[in-house]
Amino acid sequence: MFDNDPQTYRRWMEVYRVLTGADDLLPAHAESLLGGEKPGSILQGIYQATPFPAPVLPNTDRIKHLHNGQAMVAAAARYQNCLRNWIAESHRGEQQFYEAVLADGEKAILCLKNDAPAGWLLGDLKLAGNADVEDVLQEELLEYLAQFGVRVGPSLEAMLRRFGRSSLMEMEADPFEVDAHWFDMVDDMD
């Protein structure tokens, strides 16, 4: 099981403690190990069962949050896509995934990207097999998502980078001497 290597067991228990908060092996996990389950499989199962951060969108009859790695693995199988590869990003709160019912009744996977501090941004919307959603259905869903503050378009970071390259930033101005006149001049340029 651990190849009689105490070092490997200690490293495994370190990960186990982080995932479970338990200093000792829980009876169900000890039984699984003794039954022949691989130690890595046990850790992976615990990791996938751990809930993701709270959803941004409420669960409704229209949208269901994929709340942990197990839900994502199951959805990846149903939708025949690579959703299972995004579990770590979901645990870190970088992305959230939902199963969404479109206006025509078809189901799709909805990805929201954390665009902090600007809120959440639509990352992707795909049917089974990563097929694209018809524009009219996507637009209808976007209107629905806007109720919850979900934006569409470039990320805040991309917009800031673009602004940083604009002629406004190339203007010679000492940041300690900028006054209301400079801001009025910028407003006149819009």
Side-chain angles (χ1 to χ4, degrees), residues 62 79 100-108 127-128 131-134 137:
R62 181 118 198 242
Y79 286 86
V101 178
L102 304 174
D104 67 352
E106 197 160 11
K107 291 184 178 182
L127 299 169
D132 291 327
V133 173
E134 291 181 37
L137 295 174

Side-chain angles (χ1 to χ4, degrees), residues 6-179:
Q7 177 95 3
T8 301
Y9 176 74
R10 279 194 294 279
R11 285 194 310 263
W12 186 87
M13 275 305 293
E14 181 180 339
V15 176
Y16 184 83
R17 277 186 206 96
V18 169
L19 286 171
T20 64
D23 288 331
D24 297 315
L25 197 57
L26 297 174
H29 297 139
E31 188 176 314
S32 293
L33 280 172
L34 292 173
E37 186 172 355
K38 293 181 178 181
S41 295
I42 291 173
L43 294 178
Q44 194 71 330
I46 296 167
Y47 178 69
Q48 288 182 357
T50 302
F52 295 145
V56 172
L57 303 175
N59 282 325
T60 65
D61 59 338
R62 181 118 198 242
I63 292 180
K64 299 276 188 244
H65 181 236
L66 299 178
H67 65 284
N68 66 19
Q70 291 169 335
M72 286 183 65
V73 168
R78 282 193 312 278
Y79 286 86
Q80 303 164 349
N81 63 25
C82 63
L83 197 54
R84 68 182 317 134
N85 296 337
W86 301 101
I87 294 172
E89 288 80 0
S90 296
H91 271 301
R92 290 192 300 265
E94 296 169 8
Q95 297 185 76
Q96 289 191 350
F97 292 89
Y98 298 81
E99 199 163 9
V101 178
L102 304 174
D104 67 352
E106 197 160 11
K107 291 184 178 182
I109 295 293
L110 167 69
C111 170
L112 298 184
K113 292 187 176 194
N114 191 340
D115 194 30
W120 290 83
L121 190 62
L122 177 66
D124 218 344
L125 181 64
K126 294 289 185 176
L127 299 169
N130 285 331
D132 291 327
V133 173
E134 291 181 37
D135 288 344
V136 68
L137 295 174
Q138 188 167 342
E139 288 171 20
E140 187 275 334
L141 184 63
L142 295 178
E143 287 178 26
Y144 178 77
L145 295 174
Q147 298 174 54
F148 304 102
V150 175
R151 295 182 307 104
V152 177
S155 68
L156 177 60
E157 181 180 351
M159 290 187 291
L160 288 170
R161 262 187 275 143
R162 206 170 343 163
F163 180 73
R165 291 189 300 259
S166 74
S167 60
L168 292 177
M169 294 306 287
E170 293 169 2
M171 297 174 72
E172 296 287 329
D174 182 342
F176 298 106
E177 293 180 9
V178 173
D179 59 15

